[in-house]
Amino acid sequence: PGPPRVYFFPVLFMFAALALGLSPPTAPLRLAAALLAPALRTPPPPLLAAGGARTSKTVAVNRVARREFEILDEYEAGIALVGTEVKSCRAGKMNLRDGFCSVKAGECWLENVNIAQHGTTGGYFNHDEGRRRRLLLHKREIRKIGQAVARDGLTVVPLSAYFNARSCLKLKIAVARGKKLQDKRETIRRREQDREVRRQIKQAF
């Protein structure tokens, strides 16, 4: 669509003066420039990844969890952090290896997960690296997780942490059952078989 009609008269006056060889007054010129500037100004393009799709950034992965536990159900949770913790997570300084989740008083908590202190922040303003952190889940999800832990004796473990396309930190957690020794051996055997198949395919090509 064209510019609004309010632009028309100052611009017409300016071009008429130029066509007659006259020097137009500066006031209409400034008015025309002020009116045309918003219409001619183009907004900056959104920050997108290559190909036009927004991407997520992985912060930490708990590889031990899938080796030690049988994953039964997965959830995506937000996490309540302070400013220095967010900065450390953006730098990848988060360790999920020994972490677990607990349900207490209708809230889900992330326990025993280490987020290193921010390097350029003074100690007084820095966070406690191993503190308990509240997870942001729907009430029905918290109830379901709590029932699985209390009734069936299952464990809730963190699988991965990542910043989504909106730059919000998310945590993938899972309700899991500890594997027996035989199950662990079967997992190792399948992993070695998959590794051997990939190696043979790579050699073939």
Side-chain angles (χ1 to χ4, degrees), residues 5-20 24 28 32 36:
R5 293 183 178 180
V6 70
Y7 299 160
F8 177 74
F9 296 104
V11 174
L12 179 62
F13 180 83
M14 179 182 66
F15 281 110
L18 292 175
L20 295 174
L36 286 174

Side-chain angles (χ1 to χ4, degrees), residues 68-167:
E68 298 291 332
F69 295 93
E70 177 188 357
I71 306 302
L72 303 178
D73 205 359
E74 295 186 9
Y75 299 87
E76 183 185 63
I79 179 171
L81 299 177
V82 297
T84 53
E85 289 174 326
V86 176
K87 293 179 181 178
S88 294
C89 287
R90 290 192 183 280
K93 297 180 180 180
M94 185 180 194
N95 189 349
L96 302 174
R97 181 184 177 92
D98 298 321
F100 64 95
C101 302
S102 61
V103 178
K104 298 177 183 177
E107 297 287 354
C108 191
W109 299 89
L110 180 65
E111 314 260 9
N112 207 33
V113 166
N114 183 278
I115 299 179
Q117 291 189 345
H118 190 243
T120 60
T121 303
Y124 180 80
F125 298 100
N126 240 318
H127 59 271
D128 179 9
E129 294 184 344
R131 75 179 184 92
R132 186 174 68 167
R133 299 171 176 94
R134 187 167 67 94
L135 296 181
L136 309 177
L137 290 158
H138 294 291
K139 290 294 183 182
R140 64 178 180 275
E141 293 176 327
I142 295 175
R143 284 196 300 268
K144 187 176 179 181
I145 293 172
Q147 290 170 0
V149 172
R151 183 183 63 238
D152 302 325
L154 301 177
T155 304
V156 185
V157 294
L159 299 179
S160 62
Y162 53 91
F163 284 98
N164 64 9
R166 299 174 58 189
S167 294

Side-chain angles (χ1 to χ4, degrees), residues 14-15 24 29 36 39 44 47 51 65 69 93 99 106 122 128 141 169 175 177 182 185 198 202:
M14 179 182 66
F15 281 110
L29 284 175
L36 286 174
L47 296 176
F69 295 93
K93 297 180 180 180
D128 179 9
E141 293 176 327
L169 184 65
V175 176
R177 180 187 293 114
Q182 183 178 356
R185 289 174 177 171
R198 289 195 298 269
K202 186 176 180 180

Side-chain angles (χ1 to χ4, degrees), residues 17-18 52 59 64 75 78 83 122 160 169-171 177 188 197 201:
L18 292 175
V59 175
V64 176
Y75 299 87
S160 62
L169 184 65
K170 296 293 184 179
L171 194 72
R177 180 187 293 114
I188 294 173
V197 169
I201 292 175

